[in-house]
């Protein structure tokens, strides 16, 4: 079970002050890096997560995600598995091999019918994923829960 903490988030609409639930994290709001080579999927999830109050950065390739993570490590990475040049699993391996980055939780997801048993990620999901299902996993891994 994760612990939720209430705080006032920055108003998205002038004059409003919404109270948004968040779990404990390194930053408030937590920074999530979303990685997908399909720009429409990337943009949609970025908008959905921002609407939930998360700070979201995006990368359209695993190499870009690796560069961004080295420059400014996020609190969580959500990455697609199937991408050109470097796939999501290779990204996970690189992150786990780096002592500065290996504690960052990773959600690996894919639309492909594959099974991945290598323990280099925290959660493995098959697309499509509902917003509620994804948020449940995000809250759990940010609170320290893992399937590794």
């Amino acid at each position: 079970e994760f612990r939720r903490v209430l705080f006032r988030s920055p108003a998205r609409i002038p004059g409003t002050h919404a109270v948004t639930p968040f779990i404990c994290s390194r930053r408030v709001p937590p920074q999530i890096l979303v990685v997908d080579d399909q720009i429409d999927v990337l943009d949609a999830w970025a908008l959905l997560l921002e609407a939930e109050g998360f700070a979201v950065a995006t990368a359209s390739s695993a190499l870009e995600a690796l560069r961004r993570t080295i420059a400014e490590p996020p609190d969580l990475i959500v990455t697609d598995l199937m991408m050109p040049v470097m796939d999501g699993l290779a990204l996970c391996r690189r992150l786990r091999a780096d002592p500065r980055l290996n504690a960052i939780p990773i959600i690996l997801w894919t639309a492909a019918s594959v099974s991945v048993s290598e323990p280099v990620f925290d959660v493995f999901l098959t697309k499509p994923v509902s917003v509620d299902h994804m948020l449940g996993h995000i809250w759990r891994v940010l609170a320290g829960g893992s399937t590794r």
Side-chain angles (χ1 to χ4, degrees):
E1 172 112 9
F2 56 87
R3 192 173 128 207
R4 293 176 125 180
V5 177
L6 291 178
F7 76 97
R8 290 205 178 274
S9 63
R12 297 201 182 288
I13 302 169
T16 65
H17 292 63
V19 175
T20 307
F22 271 102
I23 49 82
C24 296
S25 178
R26 291 177 218 143
R27 284 178 278 227
V28 176
Q31 173 78 41
I32 299 175
L33 175 61
V34 182
V35 187
D36 202 304
D37 61 321
Q38 294 183 3
I39 301 302
D40 55 339
V41 172
L42 192 63
D43 291 344
W45 277 102
L47 287 172
L48 289 167
L49 294 172
E50 286 171 351
E52 291 294 325
F54 292 102
V56 180
T58 60
S60 59
S61 73
L63 289 173
E64 180 185 355
L66 188 58
R67 284 192 296 271
R68 284 179 176 262
T69 302
I70 290 168
E72 184 180 349
D75 296 306
L76 169 68
I77 296 171
V78 177
T79 184
D80 187 24
L81 173 65
M82 307 296 275
M83 292 183 285
V85 183
M86 177 191 285
D87 67 18
L89 194 56
L91 172 63
C92 293
R93 287 184 195 119
R94 295 277 299 269
L95 294 170
R96 293 298 184 234
D98 188 325
R100 299 166 298 150
L101 308 173
N102 66 11
I104 299 170
I106 302 169
I107 296 176
L108 181 67
W109 65 351
T110 186
S113 296
V114 296
S115 111
V116 181
S117 59
E118 193 174 346
V120 291
F121 51 85
D122 297 272
V123 176
F124 182 79
L125 299 174
T126 303
K127 295 177 187 177
V129 177
S130 73
V131 174
D132 289 339
H133 190 68
M134 177 63 84
L135 288 173
H137 284 289
I138 288 171
W139 289 329
R140 186 173 54 77
V141 297
L142 285 175
S146 173
T147 59
R148 278 196 289 156

